[in-house]
Amino acid sequence: MPSDISQTTNFIAGNWRPGRDRLDIFNPSDLDELAGSYTLATADDVAEAVAAARSAQPQWRAATVEQRSLVLDAISRALFDGKDELARIAATEGGKTIPDALGEIVRAAHLARFFSAEALRAPGETLGSVRPGVEVDVTREPVGVIGLVTPWNFPVATPMWKIAPALAFGNAVIWKPSEKTPGISIAVTRIVAAALEAHGMPAGLFNLVIGAGPNVGAAVVDAVDAVSFTGSVNTGRRIAVRCAERMIRVQLELGGQNPLVVLGDADPERAAEIGVNSAYFHAGQRCTATGRFIVEDSIHDAFVAAMVERMAALRVGHALLPETQIGPVIDEFQLTKNLRYIDTGLNEGARLASGGARLERPTRGHFLAPTLFTETGNAMTINREEVFGPVASVIRVKDYDEALAVANDTEYGLSSGIITNSMKHARHFQANIQAGMTMLNLPTAGVDYHVPFGGRKMSSYGPREQGRSAIEFYTIIKTAYRAL
């Protein structure tokens, strides 16, 4: 952790300042190790941050597209340069393995670099009017002050795919990260603040407030011009209602219960390799992770056997050890929740094919064996709700038509996938799966940074994130008529 951690908590109006209420974060791989101590922001801190952002945003709005591009390029370079230390912080407080953490930080750097380029080419057009002697300009303007509320499972990449477009298109930012990962949030804020300062931008343009959602998060939602939130469905619903009451923009990414269909013409070994990658890495704490393997009867037993064999070889342990493939879940609350879902699955008649128990390791940590259920039905709780842990189920189906129907029988619609050698079925699945993203012979988890990200049904609400689609949320269109 940074050596001056006791002096760094919230970043408001260009200054680091302490908050109230001590927050201790312990390493989920070793509960005897204190990862960092912090203090939390208050609603008053949020009000001050928003005031600073409103004061600073006009200068940023007036900046040239090149100035904005250079700031984002500097952020990208700093993320690349600091990736090793940032990965260590993320692994220590969040339980993500070093390779996973490095991959996330490099992705965040690519996101900043992508929006550095997008800042230079924000679209606009001049059109002829239907009336003689009139010309029409269609331009995009920044929304103003954006509130970003982000989760703990991807504490660098998810914030960056919000921070980068917000800044690229001229907005000021209030960032409320998860209070479960404050150390990495502080490190990222230092990078953003340094880039803005180096390019002569006002101090209040970017603000960090760390605190619990019901207090600090709610204060952000009540004060900004737009809210982009990634987190739970229940919290997202409350935010959507409040934003509607305030008549402000809202963008929600809320999770999923993602299906991966395995058809009988697939190679079971290859399918199991994709399946393990889909469901279990980062301890299953990915909103795009597979929760339901929907498997055609003719390949079911071979697929399950191949999955169990691969799962037995997975190395679960301390996130900083080079041999570890899967680290701990984030905290005791999440571990208890995962174990409760496992108990529920057993009570509802599912059969435990692998895992299902807490693991003991040389250090005290939140370690859970990757878990696979078989003999499950789509009506079971473990197949209706998002477990958000290394837990997945197999649902046996007779044919492709039943597989598609089961895959769509969910309130969620984020990611999905199919493993098959049939182009006919692959194309049909792509056209008819009710999800925002779908994968052919690939894991459901794992997306590119330059294309849209998002789902449908309860998984997403509002404009898409990432790629060129991000401009729809972070800008407002203005149509101007001009007499010639």
Side-chain angles (χ1 to χ4, degrees), residues 390-408:
V391 180
S393 303
V394 178
I395 303 171
R396 188 194 300 257
V397 294
K398 64 180 182 295
D399 56 23
Y400 168 75
D401 290 337
E402 184 182 3
L404 178 63
V406 171
N408 282 333

Side-chain angles (χ1 to χ4, degrees), residues 2-9 17-19 22 36-39 190:
S3 59
D4 59 342
I5 195 66
S6 63
Q7 301 174 30
T8 63
T9 302
R17 62 180 66 180
R22 180 185 173 99
S37 293
Y38 310 88
T39 54
R190 288 186 179 279

Side-chain angles (χ1 to χ4, degrees), residues 273-307:
E273 180 183 344
I274 293 171
V276 167
N277 189 308
S278 293
Y280 300 117
F281 288 101
H282 191 23
Q285 298 169 137
R286 301 180 289 186
C287 58
T288 53
T290 295
R292 296 175 295 149
F293 294 108
I294 302 170
V295 184
E296 202 167 7
D297 183 69
S298 61
I299 198 176
H300 177 278
D301 292 353
F303 172 75
V304 170
M307 284 287 294

Side-chain angles (χ1 to χ4, degrees), residues 205-285:
L205 190 61
F206 186 89
N207 301 269
L208 172 73
V209 286
I210 296 174
N215 179 22
V216 175
V220 171
V221 172
D222 281 344
V224 296
D225 301 316
V227 176
S228 181
F229 169 81
T230 299
S232 71
V233 171
N234 289 337
T235 301
R237 279 186 171 135
R238 291 194 295 271
I239 289 173
V241 168
R242 182 57 182 148
C243 288
E245 290 172 341
R246 296 192 57 228
M247 298 288 283
I248 66 170
R249 295 181 172 211
V250 63
Q251 178 185 62
L252 307 175
E253 289 297 338
L254 305 176
Q257 228 308 350
N258 306 299
L260 180 60
V261 170
V262 182
L263 295 188
D265 65 351
D267 172 18
E269 297 295 330
R270 173 61 176 152
E273 180 183 344
I274 293 171
V276 167
N277 189 308
S278 293
Y280 300 117
F281 288 101
H282 191 23
Q285 298 169 137

Side-chain angles (χ1 to χ4, degrees), residues 374-388:
T374 59
E375 308 306 321
T376 77
N378 209 43
M380 289 182 174
T381 302
I382 52 174
N383 290 327
R384 305 308 298 177
E385 300 178 7
E386 184 180 34
V387 178
F388 216 66

Side-chain angles (χ1 to χ4, degrees), residues 97-142:
T97 65
I98 291 294
D100 278 353
L102 282 170
E104 179 186 352
I105 291 153
V106 168
R107 180 181 176 186
H110 282 301
L111 282 159
R113 187 175 63 180
F114 175 85
F115 284 105
S116 171
E118 288 300 290
L120 291 171
R121 53 176 175 251
E125 57 183 341
T126 298
L127 303 170
S129 173
V130 298
R131 295 171 287 174
V134 176
E135 200 169 62
V136 182
D137 289 333
V138 180
T139 57
R140 290 182 176 270
E141 298 179 351

Side-chain angles (χ1 to χ4, degrees), residues 24-377:
D24 290 336
I25 299 295
F26 291 89
N27 184 346
S29 295
D30 183 354
L31 299 177
D32 296 317
E33 178 185 346
L34 180 67
S37 293
Y38 310 88
T39 54
L40 301 177
T42 66
D44 290 341
D45 293 323
V46 173
E48 188 173 345
V50 172
R54 293 203 183 282
S55 177
Q57 193 264 337
Q59 182 178 339
W60 183 239
R61 172 178 174 166
T64 66
V65 293
E66 183 178 41
Q67 286 175 304
R68 294 183 200 158
S69 176
L70 289 172
V71 167
L72 286 161
D73 183 66
I75 292 170
S76 175
R77 291 174 183 274
L79 288 168
F80 277 122
D81 291 344
K83 64 182 183 298
D84 292 331
E85 175 60 14
L86 292 170
R88 190 188 66 79
I89 296 171
T92 301
E93 72 176 0
K96 186 169 291 195
T97 65
I98 291 294
D100 278 353
L102 282 170
E104 179 186 352
I105 291 153
V106 168
R107 180 181 176 186
H110 282 301
L111 282 159
R113 187 175 63 180
F114 175 85
F115 284 105
S116 171
E118 288 300 290
L120 291 171
R121 53 176 175 251
E125 57 183 341
T126 298
L127 303 170
S129 173
V130 298
R131 295 171 287 174
V134 176
E135 200 169 62
V136 182
D137 289 333
V138 180
T139 57
R140 290 182 176 270
E141 298 179 351
V143 175
V145 178
I146 311 290
L148 308 179
V149 183
T150 61
W152 48 264
N153 61 323
F154 285 93
V156 183
T158 299
M160 193 51 61
W161 80 46
K162 301 174 189 288
I163 292 168
L167 293 177
F169 303 126
N171 300 283
V173 170
I174 310 296
W175 179 25
K176 206 297 284 185
S178 170
E179 64 276 20
K180 294 185 180 184
T181 50
I184 192 64
S185 303
I186 288 169
V188 170
T189 296
R190 288 186 179 279
I191 287 172
V192 175
L196 289 167
E197 182 181 5
H199 290 83
M201 292 300 115
L205 190 61
F206 186 89
N207 301 269
L208 172 73
V209 286
I210 296 174
N215 179 22
V216 175
V220 171
V221 172
D222 281 344
V224 296
D225 301 316
V227 176
S228 181
F229 169 81
T230 299
S232 71
V233 171
N234 289 337
T235 301
R237 279 186 171 135
R238 291 194 295 271
I239 289 173
V241 168
R242 182 57 182 148
C243 288
E245 290 172 341
R246 296 192 57 228
M247 298 288 283
I248 66 170
R249 295 181 172 211
V250 63
Q251 178 185 62
L252 307 175
E253 289 297 338
L254 305 176
Q257 228 308 350
N258 306 299
L260 180 60
V261 170
V262 182
L263 295 188
D265 65 351
D267 172 18
E269 297 295 330
R270 173 61 176 152
E273 180 183 344
I274 293 171
V276 167
N277 189 308
S278 293
Y280 300 117
F281 288 101
H282 191 23
Q285 298 169 137
R286 301 180 289 186
C287 58
T288 53
T290 295
R292 296 175 295 149
F293 294 108
I294 302 170
V295 184
E296 202 167 7
D297 183 69
S298 61
I299 198 176
H300 177 278
D301 292 353
F303 172 75
V304 170
M307 284 287 294
V308 170
E309 181 180 0
R310 277 170 171 73
M311 292 170 67
L314 291 171
R315 299 185 297 275
V316 180
H318 196 297
L320 272 68
L321 294 177
E323 65 270 21
T324 295
Q325 293 174 289
I326 298 173
V329 299
I330 183 74
D331 58 16
E332 188 68 31
F333 173 83
Q334 195 67 35
L335 178 61
T336 299
K337 181 182 175 184
N338 293 166
L339 291 169
R340 190 179 301 123
Y341 272 115
I342 291 170
D343 288 342
T344 299
L346 292 171
N347 291 335
E348 292 183 357
R351 186 179 75 83
L352 195 60
S354 183
R358 186 169 188 161
L359 296 175
E360 298 297 327
R361 290 294 182 264
T363 54
R364 292 192 311 122
H366 302 302
F367 303 109
L368 179 62
T371 299
L372 183 69
F373 282 111
T374 59
E375 308 306 321
T376 77

